[in-house]
Amino acid sequence: MSTLAVNTITAETGNTVSLASGKSLNASQGFTPPAGHVIQVVTSGTISATNNTSTNWTSTNYTINITPTSSSSKIFFSFSNHMRVNGDGSYMRGGIRLRREVNGGSATYVWNGDGSGETMQVRNATNEHDTPAYVGVLDSPSTTGVVTYTIQTKVTTGNYIQNYESAKGGNIVLMEISG
């Protein structure tokens, strides 16, 4: 095996440098992707439903970890689920927010940071309402530590707010984007 040491590689013609057919580039010793490229993707597995009856913010089963490779990376968080708010004869209102912790430390709320308890509401119905829900956030945790994202919910008025299980379409996808 030989080692080739150079400072710059450039194409002799055009703008593309190619590897010979059937060959691959081993970048296991380090590679810096251009800004904006996806470095890694983490997805949730099987998740059970969470039924929350509390008027306080409560963590759901929708939680996921990622360890960024660079502190300049951004994390694109995507959550989708089938959700239900259930009433008790009054109008139904419930809240969803996204909590972030780094290395198990203090919480930062990166979506619905002001804690609105009315991110899911039905003004003229009093029994129950089912709907798809989506939260998409581009976050900048500025760390290479373990980042934990958790969907939290609360009941503002009514009986409960429910996140359905992953079999009904619920999932989380995290993408680390190079900074």
Side-chain angles (χ1 to χ4, degrees):
M1 179 170 176
S2 299
T3 299
L4 173 65
V6 297
N7 289 330
T8 304
I9 297 174
T10 188
E12 185 174 354
T13 60
N15 295 321
T16 303
V17 176
S18 302
L19 293 175
S21 177
K23 303 298 180 184
S24 63
L25 178 63
N26 178 349
S28 63
Q29 300 301 311
F31 171 71
T32 303
H37 283 70
V38 175
I39 298 171
Q40 65 172 313
V41 176
V42 178
T43 60
S44 57
T46 302
I47 301 172
S48 59
T50 305
N51 192 19
N52 182 13
T53 60
S54 177
T55 57
N56 296 316
W57 287 106
T58 303
S59 294
T60 69
N61 292 327
Y62 282 84
T63 187
I64 192 168
N65 298 327
I66 189 168
T67 304
T69 59
S70 170
S71 61
S72 66
S73 292
K74 302 205 179 302
I75 305 297
F76 181 72
F77 173 95
S78 174
F79 162 80
S80 62
N81 197 352
H82 185 95
M83 295 185 68
R84 171 181 288 168
V85 287
N86 182 274
D88 57 4
S90 62
Y91 296 147
M92 301 171 292
R93 292 183 176 92
I96 306 168
R97 73 178 178 184
L98 177 59
R99 175 187 171 111
R100 176 195 358 120
E101 291 179 7
V102 176
N103 292 324
S106 61
T108 301
Y109 300 98
V110 296
W111 189 85
N112 189 15
D114 68 356
S116 170
E118 296 189 359
T119 54
M120 281 190 70
Q121 60 179 300
V122 183
R123 295 208 177 255
N124 292 316
T126 57
N127 52 3
E128 73 181 27
H129 177 71
D130 290 73
T131 188
Y134 178 78
V135 174
V137 176
L138 185 61
D139 187 29
S140 300
S142 302
T143 187
T144 58
V146 177
V147 182
T148 302
Y149 292 98
T150 303
I151 291 290
Q152 293 187 314
T153 60
K154 72 181 277 186
V155 175
T156 304
T157 59
N159 290 327
Y160 65 84
I161 185 168
Q162 181 176 12
N163 294 74
Y164 280 91
E165 62 273 15
S166 55
K168 290 204 172 23
N171 68 46
I172 298 174
V173 177
L174 300 178
M175 288 187 275
E176 180 182 0
I177 311 294
S178 58

